[in-house]
Amino acid sequence: MNVIFQSTYYTLYQASDERCYYIDFGQKTVRMSLCQLLSLRHKVMSIDIEAHFDSDLNSHGFEVLMLCNKEHLFILNTLEVLDLRNLVEHGFMILGLSAGSEAVVC
């Protein structure tokens, strides 16, 4: 497995021989296909970070994240959400799949 990007809390790996990706969440490693990784990116980028700093919108300061068709459940605090967003942004940039001006064709 090749390390694609490592952040403070998480590591993104690519397994070329298996044609999949792994994300090490510290306490759990999750295997993902490219479609599941794209779904993770959408979920992470949809999280309202500003709500974490407004006690009326997010009084507990946690985010519940379900991955891979509700197979995995994670409860993340604000720092972990920001770090996961960092991993997703940089990981997709390194893979050449960033949501920039070019379209990705599979």
Side-chain angles (χ1 to χ4, degrees):
M1 283 196 299
N2 301 324
V3 175
I4 302 298
F5 186 77
Q6 186 169 12
S7 63
T8 304
Y9 299 110
Y10 312 109
T11 306
L12 174 64
Y13 300 96
Q14 181 180 21
S16 299
D17 54 332
E18 298 176 40
R19 298 182 68 180
C20 66
Y21 300 89
Y22 290 90
I23 296 181
D24 182 3
F25 285 91
Q27 67 275 19
K28 186 178 205 178
T29 302
V30 178
R31 181 181 192 263
M32 295 182 175
S33 67
L34 178 61
C35 292
Q36 291 168 331
L37 196 62
L38 290 169
S39 174
L40 171 70
R41 175 176 69 175
H42 176 72
K43 288 178 184 180
V44 169
M45 299 313 264
S46 297
I47 295 172
D48 185 13
I49 296 296
E50 294 173 2
H52 281 256
F53 299 102
D54 186 352
S55 61
D56 293 333
L57 298 174
N58 189 346
S59 60
H60 49 75
F62 291 101
E63 196 71 39
V64 176
L65 185 65
M66 288 193 275
L67 304 177
C68 305
N69 294 329
K70 301 180 183 178
E71 217 176 289
H72 306 283
L73 173 77
F74 295 96
I75 299 174
L76 307 172
N77 64 30
T78 305
L79 291 176
E80 292 169 335
V81 170
L82 290 171
D83 194 52
L84 186 57
R85 181 174 276 205
N86 182 36
L87 176 91
V88 167
E89 288 175 350
H90 287 89
F92 273 87
M93 248 188 289
I94 292 169
L95 289 171
L97 299 173
S98 62
S101 60
E102 294 184 39
V104 177
V105 179
C106 295

